Amino acid sequence: MPESWLDIAPDSPFGLHNLPYGVFSEPGDPGPRTGVAVGAHVLDLGAAARAAGSPFADAVSGPSLDGLLAAGRPVWEQVRATVLRWLTDPAREEGVRPHLIGRDRVRMHMPFTVGDYVDFYSSEHHATNVGRIFRPDSAPLTPNWKHLPIGYHGRAGTVVPSGAPVVRPCGQRKGPDDPAPVFGPSRRLDIEAEVGFVVGAPSRRGGRVPVGGFADHVFGAFLVNDWSARDLQAWEYVPLGPFLGKSFATSVSPWVVPLQALEAARVEPPVRDPEPLEYLRDAKDEPWGLDLALEVRINGHVVARPPFAQMYWTPAQQLAHMTVNGASVRTGDMYASGTVSGPEPGQRGCLLEMTWGGREPLKLPDGSERAFLEDGDTVAISATAPGPEGSVIGFGEVTGSVRPAEE
Ligand SMILES: O=C(O)/C=C/C(=O)CC(=O)CC(=O)O
Ligand SMILES: [Ca+2]
Ligand SMILES: [Mg+2]
């Protein structure tokens, strides 16, 4: 990789190997714009592309990534290669430097218009733990679990950008010893640390996206916090699955890391036994396990380090499964991996597991204890992945604070 004329710290999570896309504004701006994070800066992509007369200027000049997502893989590759050239060719410095803004000056926004939203359940460790906690008298994994990536359709309209406050939801709950359900603020508000994927190029209704078609359709990855009210969920979910316990808010991180930046993070997924049906088999020599290291913090204290590489079903299999019945995907459709949990106690991606259903509260270094979230708590989920040449690919973080219920 050639050097940049821009001063970028060698260990920056936003070095030249990453170049994630997001939507930002500066104080006093008329509206948000598309940017690329580089070192301590954001490159105003639309302005730089217009100044350079780039053929893709229109696609990157909107107030969201929607135009870029819809443009398709050849354009994604062209934009990335062009930005890299701009940042490394000394002859380009004069034209590009005016379009760099300090990242500490900008506010980040929702990166794209969310179409449909699907949430999976693809960590074997998470599913096993949740099964044990919610259904102690049954086998922890349901009979279908190792044959298909289980998922449900979520509420796209309540996907919110990182930093948006999360109001504690109200709803029905009924504990095992309660004679009747009661209504009120959730007492078991939880998080779920997940990785999200956004579709760029749509697929045809009636067609299927094979496992090998993942990178032609999916633009990139980001972080997701699927806030969950466990008491509402436990009462409502039989037999149709999560509903109001998860539909009140889902937070996403502002930077979308393009799949091209994750080449060095690709790893073989765990061995699948039994072997899945043909349409779910990994494409030969094209593994889509991803070695992302997540970190979950509550009020600044690290409470978990979930490993994404351990996920049983890959995002390529999830997309293949989501479309195998002929259901199409559209630009802006997003899907989340499911809670990321590893085999160790310190690797669990939600409080339900970390505290084993609330029975073993966490002790935070500030002396307080948490079974579930309290009003005022701030949760941040971050992640990094290995990049080429020893570099680090940063995802930034998704954060949100809990506001009291509106009763
Ligand atoms: O097994 C259950 O009943 C509950 C599962 C979930 O909480 C669903 C979910 O959001 C999936 C996930 O994030 O892994
Ligand atoms: Ca979830
Ligand atoms: Mg949700």
Side-chain angles (χ1 to χ4, degrees), residues 21-33:
Y21 299 90
V23 171
F24 73 98
S25 62
E26 289 179 86
D29 273 358
R33 321 172 246 158

Side-chain angles (χ1 to χ4, degrees), residues 59-378:
V60 298
S61 287
S64 75
L65 303 184
D66 298 0
L68 178 60
L69 294 180
R73 187 171 177 178
V75 176
W76 306 339
E77 288 171 359
Q78 186 194 14
V79 174
R80 183 170 167 83
T82 305
V83 170
L84 194 58
R85 201 165 55 242
W86 287 345
L87 291 167
T88 51
D89 180 354
R92 298 284 184 160
E93 176 175 355
E94 199 185 323
V96 173
R97 199 180 269 285
H99 305 296
L100 287 167
I101 299 132
R103 258 190 309 123
D104 53 357
R105 282 181 46 79
V106 306
R107 189 159 90 84
M108 299 304 296
H109 302 267
M110 213 32 228
F112 54 87
T113 310
V114 180
D116 289 317
Y117 162 42
V118 165
D119 188 21
F120 284 97
Y121 190 43
S122 291
S123 157
E124 182 175 1
H125 306 289
H126 170 72
T128 303
N129 288 334
V130 173
R132 289 202 174 112
I133 295 164
F134 272 177
R135 296 172 286 275
D137 302 325
S138 316
L141 292 183
T142 48
N144 55 359
W145 202 93
K146 291 206 165 174
H147 294 281
L148 51 85
I150 295 179
Y152 66 95
H153 284 98
R155 184 75 70 98
T158 56
V159 176
V160 296
S162 178
V166 172
V167 176
R168 181 180 296 273
C170 290
Q172 284 196 25
R173 60 171 186 272
K174 183 183 171 303
D177 304 324
D178 294 336
V182 295
F183 180 85
S186 169
R187 292 178 176 170
R188 296 184 145 225
L189 182 58
D190 199 355
I191 55 164
E192 289 189 329
E194 307 196 23
V195 177
F197 297 87
V198 61
V199 171
S203 71
R204 182 176 61 81
R205 193 157 58 87
R208 296 175 184 165
V209 180
V211 170
F214 172 64
D216 291 328
H217 289 274
V218 167
F219 174 78
F222 50 94
L223 299 169
V224 175
N225 185 350
D226 177 23
W227 304 89
S228 299
R230 300 300 183 187
D231 39 4
L232 278 51
Q233 180 186 355
W235 168 232
E236 74 179 359
Y237 84 102
V238 182
L240 290 187
F243 191 43
L244 303 181
K246 284 168 179 286
S247 65
F248 54 95
T250 304
S251 303
V252 297
S253 58
W255 295 108
V256 180
V257 176
L259 289 191
Q260 291 150 288
L262 296 173
E263 277 299 314
R266 292 175 66 175
V267 289
E268 287 292 338
V271 175
R272 264 62 64 84
D273 184 18
E275 193 177 14
L277 289 173
E278 179 80 38
Y279 80 92
L280 284 172
R281 294 202 192 133
D282 297 314
K284 206 173 161 357
D285 303 323
E286 286 283 310
W288 274 111
L290 288 169
D291 184 17
L292 316 185
L294 276 63
E295 190 171 273
V296 182
R297 279 169 286 133
I298 298 181
N299 301 334
H301 308 298
V302 176
V303 295
R305 292 198 165 90
F308 193 74
Q310 306 249 357
M311 297 299 277
Y312 193 88
W313 298 108
T314 68
Q317 291 171 311
Q318 291 171 333
L319 182 64
H321 186 61
M322 218 173 9
T323 57
V324 74
N325 63 345
S328 48
V329 286
R330 297 174 298 175
T331 301
D333 284 2
M334 65 173 257
Y335 60 100
S337 57
T339 310
V340 183
S341 293
E344 306 298 328
Q347 299 180 326
R348 294 172 177 165
C350 66
L351 283 165
L352 180 74
E353 289 172 85
M354 289 181 226
T355 69
W356 211 256
R359 289 193 281 283
E360 299 163 16
L362 284 185
K363 290 184 178 45
L364 297 181
D366 65 8
S368 63
E369 287 197 351
R370 288 292 179 292
F372 291 95
L373 296 173
E374 294 185 2
D375 292 347
D377 281 350
T378 296

